[in-house]
Amino acid sequence: MGKIDFEMLSEPAVASEPYNQSGKVRSILLGAGAGIFVAIVICGLLALFIKNVRSTEEMKKITSVRCLAHIPKVRFKARSKSGDVRVSLLNKGLSSEYSESIRVLLTRILSSMDRNHAKVLLVTSTIAGEGKSVIAANLAYKLGKYGYGKYGYGHRGYGAGKEEDQE
């Protein structure tokens, strides 16, 4: 093959510090920026693929089911002096809008059940935490007030059995 000559320019030595060292601040900023970017991408994908119905118009567009009532979201003040944070018609701190919406819902349910000769009402949803138990308990309370059923409102978790129930 031939003769190869090597010429050494400088003696090999161990470096005293890395040649491509990046600073701690730069690494932290790059990590934070990448984390924020990933979070934005995940939120965007969730918003794109999660199909929650947020209005009666969306419900009409997606399903053929008629919306019976709109139940307003209940928010309690952070510094509430009463400490009663039950979403129950027994809670006097709830807005009249909430109790009226439950009354409207119950009226429409009873009308529909009467037309269809139905005897059983099922309250359900597709995901947990949407308020099925709260709605069912408040409907049961109103049904008891209207004289339906032998016991009316009997779920102790929503305030039954207290002095204020005895009306």
Side-chain angles (χ1 to χ4, degrees):
M1 281 237 281
K3 186 178 175 186
I4 300 174
D5 288 329
F6 288 103
E7 193 176 315
M8 193 174 301
L9 299 176
S10 61
E11 285 294 316
V14 176
S16 60
E17 61 182 51
Y19 176 72
N20 60 351
Q21 180 181 14
S22 61
K24 290 180 184 178
V25 173
R26 183 172 184 243
S27 295
I28 291 172
L29 289 176
L30 283 174
I36 290 171
F37 176 75
V38 168
I40 289 172
V41 167
I42 289 172
C43 288
L45 289 173
L46 285 174
L48 184 65
F49 291 113
I50 291 180
K51 300 289 183 190
N52 286 348
V53 176
R54 292 184 174 90
S55 69
T56 54
E57 290 79 26
E58 282 183 51
M59 188 164 177
K60 285 179 186 174
K61 189 167 51 171
I62 294 172
T63 68
S64 62
V65 178
R66 183 175 73 109
C67 180
L68 294 177
H70 172 77
I71 308 295
K73 184 169 183 138
V74 176
R75 297 173 197 250
F76 293 101
K77 292 182 181 177
R79 293 181 263 158
S80 176
K81 293 179 183 173
S82 69
D84 192 2
V85 291
R86 294 174 298 162
V87 183
S88 165
L89 294 175
L90 298 173
N91 183 350
K92 303 300 181 200
L94 282 179
S95 68
S96 60
E97 179 186 10
Y98 181 80
S99 61
E100 179 64 17
S101 63
I102 293 292
R103 188 194 63 74
V104 167
L105 175 62
L106 183 60
T107 303
R108 290 180 180 171
I109 287 172
L110 291 175
S111 172
S112 176
M113 288 178 77
D114 221 18
R115 273 194 315 273
N116 298 313
H117 307 292
K119 294 183 180 184
V120 177
L121 173 65
L122 173 69
V123 179
T124 185
S125 85
T126 56
I127 60 175
E130 287 189 328
K132 298 175 290 292
S133 298
V134 171
I135 295 298
N138 284 318
L139 287 173
Y141 175 72
K142 279 290 193 188
L143 281 169
K145 287 283 203 183
Y146 291 157
Y148 289 88
K150 184 176 179 184
Y151 300 107
Y153 191 73
H155 195 295
R156 293 208 174 275
Y158 291 94
K162 296 189 177 188
E163 295 83 29
E164 61 194 26
D165 295 347
Q166 314 302 323
E167 294 181 51

